[in-house]
Coordinates of all heavy atoms in Angstrom, one line a residue:
Chain A
I10 N 2.1 213.3 18.4 CA 1.7 212.3 17.5 C 2.9 211.6 16.8 O 3.9 212.3 16.5 CB 0.8 212.8 16.4 CG1 1.4 214.1 15.7 CG2 -0.6 213.2 16.9 CD1 0.7 214.4 14.4
M31 N -17.0 218.1 10.3 CA -16.1 217.5 11.3 C -16.6 217.8 12.7 O -17.4 218.7 12.9 CB -14.7 218.2 11.2 CG -13.9 217.9 9.9 SD -12.2 218.5 10.0 CE -12.5 220.1 9.4
N39 N -16.6 202.8 26.2 CA -18.0 202.2 26.0 C -18.9 203.0 25.1 O -20.1 202.7 25.0 CB -18.6 202.0 27.4 CG -17.7 201.2 28.2 OD1 -17.2 200.1 27.8 ND2 -17.5 201.6 29.5
N66 N -21.1 200.2 11.4 CA -21.8 198.9 11.3 C -22.4 198.8 9.9 O -22.7 197.7 9.4 CB -22.8 198.7 12.4 CG -23.9 199.9 12.3 OD1 -23.7 200.9 11.6 ND2 -25.0 199.7 13.0
Y72 N -12.7 209.5 9.1 CA -11.3 209.5 9.5 C -11.2 210.1 10.9 O -12.0 210.9 11.3 CB -10.4 210.4 8.6 CG -10.2 209.8 7.2 CD1 -11.0 210.0 6.1 CD2 -9.0 209.0 7.0 CE1 -10.8 209.4 4.9 CE2 -8.8 208.4 5.8 CZ -9.6 208.6 4.7 OH -9.4 208.0 3.5
W81 N -9.5 222.7 15.4 CA -10.3 223.1 16.5 C -11.2 224.3 16.2 O -12.4 224.4 16.5 CB -9.5 223.4 17.8 CG -10.3 223.8 18.9 CD1 -10.4 225.0 19.5 CD2 -11.2 222.9 19.7 NE1 -11.3 225.0 20.6 CE2 -11.8 223.7 20.7 CE3 -11.6 221.6 19.6 CZ2 -12.7 223.2 21.6 CZ3 -12.5 221.1 20.5 CH2 -13.0 221.9 21.5
L85 N -15.2 224.0 16.9 CA -15.6 224.4 18.2 C -17.0 225.1 18.1 O -17.5 225.5 17.0 CB -14.6 225.5 18.8 CG -14.4 226.8 18.0 CD1 -15.4 227.8 18.4 CD2 -13.0 227.3 18.4
T123 N -7.5 232.3 20.9 CA -6.7 232.0 22.1 C -6.0 230.7 22.0 O -4.8 230.6 22.5 CB -7.7 231.9 23.3 OG1 -8.7 232.9 23.2 CG2 -7.0 232.1 24.6
Y137 N -3.1 235.4 29.0 CA -4.2 235.9 29.9 C -5.3 236.5 29.1 O -5.1 237.5 28.5 CB -3.6 236.9 30.9 CG -2.6 236.3 31.9 CD1 -1.2 236.4 31.6 CD2 -3.0 235.7 33.0 CE1 -0.3 235.8 32.4 CE2 -2.0 235.1 33.9 CZ -0.7 235.2 33.6 OH 0.2 234.6 34.4
R150 N -13.0 228.2 29.5 CA -12.2 227.4 30.4 C -12.4 225.9 30.1 O -11.4 225.2 30.1 CB -12.5 227.7 31.8 CG -11.6 228.7 32.4 CD -11.9 228.9 33.9 NE -11.9 230.4 34.2 CZ -12.9 231.1 34.6 NH1 -14.1 230.5 34.7 NH2 -12.8 232.4 34.8
S159 N -4.9 224.2 29.1 CA -5.2 225.0 30.2 C -4.1 225.4 31.1 O -4.2 226.4 31.9 CB -6.3 224.3 31.1 OG -5.9 223.0 31.4
L161 N -1.5 226.8 29.8 CA -1.0 227.9 29.1 C -1.9 229.1 29.1 O -1.5 230.2 28.7 CB -0.6 227.5 27.7 CG 0.5 226.5 27.5 CD1 0.4 225.9 26.1 CD2 1.8 227.2 27.7
W193 N -10.8 251.8 21.6 CA -10.0 253.0 22.0 C -10.1 253.2 23.5 O -9.3 253.8 24.1 CB -10.5 254.2 21.2 CG -12.0 254.4 21.3 CD1 -12.7 255.1 22.2 CD2 -13.0 253.9 20.4 NE1 -14.0 255.0 21.9 CE2 -14.2 254.3 20.8 CE3 -12.9 253.0 19.2 CZ2 -15.4 253.9 20.1 CZ3 -14.0 252.7 18.5 CH2 -15.3 253.1 19.0
L209 N 0.7 245.6 19.6 CA -0.7 245.6 19.9 C -1.5 245.3 18.6 O -1.0 245.8 17.5 CB -1.1 247.0 20.4 CG -2.6 247.2 20.7 CD1 -2.9 247.8 22.0 CD2 -3.2 248.0 19.6
T225 N -6.5 257.3 18.7 CA -6.0 257.1 20.1 C -4.6 256.6 20.1 O -3.8 256.9 21.0 CB -7.0 256.2 20.8 OG1 -8.3 256.6 20.5 CG2 -6.8 256.2 22.3
S228 N -0.9 258.8 20.1 CA -0.2 259.4 21.1 C 1.0 258.6 21.6 O 2.1 259.2 21.8 CB -1.0 259.8 22.3 OG -2.3 259.2 22.2
D229 N 0.9 257.3 21.8 CA 2.0 256.6 22.4 C 2.5 255.4 21.6 O 3.3 254.6 22.0 CB 1.5 256.0 23.8 CG 1.2 257.1 24.7 OD1 2.0 257.8 25.1 OD2 0.0 257.2 25.0
Y243 N -9.6 227.5 -4.1 CA -9.7 227.1 -5.5 C -10.3 225.7 -5.5 O -10.0 224.9 -4.7 CB -8.3 227.1 -6.2 CG -7.9 228.5 -6.6 CD1 -7.3 229.3 -5.6 CD2 -8.0 228.9 -7.9 CE1 -6.9 230.6 -6.0 CE2 -7.6 230.2 -8.3 CZ -7.0 231.0 -7.3 OH -6.6 232.3 -7.7
K249 N -11.1 215.7 -19.0 CA -10.5 215.0 -20.2 C -10.9 215.9 -21.4 O -12.1 215.9 -21.8 CB -11.1 213.6 -20.3 CG -10.5 212.7 -19.2 CD -10.6 211.2 -19.6 CE -9.5 210.4 -18.9 NZ -9.6 210.3 -17.5
K254 N -11.0 215.7 -34.0 CA -11.5 216.6 -35.0 C -12.9 216.2 -35.3 O -13.3 215.1 -35.3 CB -10.7 216.6 -36.3 CG -9.2 217.0 -36.1 CD -9.1 218.5 -36.2 CE -7.6 218.9 -35.8 NZ -7.6 220.1 -35.2
V255 N -13.7 217.2 -35.7 CA -15.1 216.9 -36.1 C -15.0 216.2 -37.4 O -14.2 216.5 -38.3 CB -15.9 218.2 -36.3 CG1 -17.2 218.0 -36.9 CG2 -16.0 218.9 -35.0
T261 N -18.0 223.3 -45.5 CA -17.5 224.6 -46.0 C -17.1 225.5 -44.9 O -16.4 226.4 -45.1 CB -18.6 225.3 -46.9 OG1 -19.8 225.3 -46.1 CG2 -18.8 224.6 -48.2
V308 N 9.2 253.7 22.2 CA 10.3 253.5 23.1 C 10.6 254.9 23.7 O 10.8 255.8 23.0 CB 11.6 253.0 22.4 CG1 12.8 252.9 23.4 CG2 11.3 251.6 21.9

Side-chain angles (χ1 to χ4, degrees):
Chain A
I10 53 165
M31 289 188 274
N39 303 315
N66 59 348
Y72 285 91
W81 181 250
L85 64 84
T123 323
Y137 293 92
R150 262 185 225 114
S159 48
L161 291 163
W193 52 90
L209 174 136
T225 313
S228 9
D229 299 293
Y243 284 80
K249 290 199 154 67
K254 298 276 174 213
V255 173
T261 50
V308 172

